[in-house]
Amino acid sequence: MGRTSDTKDKLIDSALELIGARNYNTVGVQELCESAGVKKGSFYHFFPSKRDLTLEVLDEMWNQFKTQMLDPVTQSDLSAMDKFNMLLTRAYEQHNSSKKCTGAMTGCCLGNLALELSTQDEVIRQKIEHIFKQWAKYFEGLVEEAISEGSMPENTDSAATAKAMLAYIEGISLLGKTFNEPELIRRIGDGVLKIFIKKKEHDRGNLEKTV
């Protein structure tokens, strides 16, 4: 089911752009309305508060990320490792394109809001937690694929590994934002894969020593 109004669309799109590029606390309702080209009364017709708008924005962020990034890659015929690499490549391309347009790498919008609001707004924190859990499930599926393909050790804890991968990628995004350098995603992003490939080689070496 689609959104119910062009005005509501405009407000969500405005919030995606402004909050995504900056942060939650510096973007006010008046600025959101001016950017969307709507009256303040229209804002409160659709959203009781900026928090309520932000909750819908988070859903929209996640839906866009799934449909434009995660689903096309994870449902492809690539190997699990190639899927991981493709996700990193697309993340780099997205952040690099954003920097060319704005002059700044803004980082992961979800991660930015988590850092800013997790200790300030429990409702928004829970929403972001739910999204991160869904994101980790995608990685968990890829880890299980990698195990079945022989790219990761059979004793790999897929759930814990998926969360570790998500944490690694969020950390790269934070570093890239701090240094304003999308290239970091390409330079150190594949490190998350090398960790587990080396673990497989280490486990194989230990097995050979015991034989």
Side-chain angles (χ1 to χ4, degrees):
M1 183 175 179
R3 296 186 214 142
T4 59
S5 162
D6 287 343
T7 299
K8 187 176 182 181
D9 274 2
K10 289 177 182 178
L11 287 165
I12 291 174
D13 290 341
S14 175
L16 275 167
E17 180 180 354
L18 293 176
I19 295 175
R22 286 158 48 192
N23 59 51
Y24 178 86
N25 285 315
T26 63
V27 179
V29 171
Q30 183 62 42
E31 184 179 6
L32 287 166
C33 291
E34 290 173 358
S35 176
V38 304
K39 295 181 179 179
K40 209 168 184 179
S42 296
F43 178 97
Y44 290 110
H45 173 75
F46 292 106
F47 304 106
S49 67
K50 188 171 71 169
R51 173 209 269 174
D52 293 281
L53 169 60
T54 302
L55 291 172
E56 290 214 28
V57 166
L58 285 165
D59 284 333
E60 185 68 15
M61 283 181 184
W62 175 237
N63 286 331
Q64 288 185 15
F65 186 57
K66 283 192 300 182
T67 58
Q68 297 173 16
M69 177 88 78
L70 292 176
D71 288 340
V73 174
T74 59
Q75 294 171 15
S76 72
D77 294 329
L78 296 171
S79 69
M81 289 300 181
D82 285 342
K83 288 176 183 178
F84 281 125
N85 281 320
M86 179 61 71
L87 288 172
L88 289 169
T89 297
R90 291 196 176 183
Y92 162 75
E93 291 171 349
Q94 183 181 52
H95 286 297
N96 195 47
S97 175
S98 176
K99 183 182 176 182
K100 286 180 179 178
C101 291
T102 66
M105 177 175 166
T106 56
C108 171
C109 295
L110 291 169
N112 292 343
L113 285 169
L115 287 170
E116 181 184 6
L117 297 175
S118 287
T119 59
Q120 298 181 29
D121 192 306
E122 179 61 14
V123 174
I124 291 178
R125 186 203 66 76
Q126 289 179 4
K127 170 68 76 172
I128 297 171
E129 177 188 351
H130 177 67
I131 292 173
F132 275 140
K133 285 180 177 178
Q134 292 182 74
W135 191 355
K137 279 292 182 183
Y138 276 87
F139 285 146
E140 188 174 343
L142 290 182
V143 171
E144 289 170 357
E145 282 184 37
I147 294 169
S148 67
E149 292 168 358
S151 301
M152 288 187 179
E154 291 183 1
N155 63 350
T156 300
D157 183 330
S158 58
T161 301
K163 289 178 181 176
M165 287 179 163
L166 179 56
Y168 189 102
I169 288 170
E170 281 297 297
I172 293 171
S173 180
L174 178 60
L175 283 177
K177 179 179 180 179
T178 301
F179 289 96
N180 197 26
E181 190 177 349
E183 190 65 31
L184 281 173
I185 297 173
R186 283 205 300 196
R187 283 215 309 270
I188 65 177
D190 64 351
V192 68
L193 301 181
K194 290 177 180 177
I195 290 171
F196 299 104
I197 292 171
K198 286 180 179 178
K199 182 180 185 304
K200 178 176 175 61
E201 293 170 349
H202 178 266
D203 290 349
R204 185 189 298 120
N206 286 339
L207 178 61
E208 290 171 352
K209 288 177 184 178
T210 61
V211 175

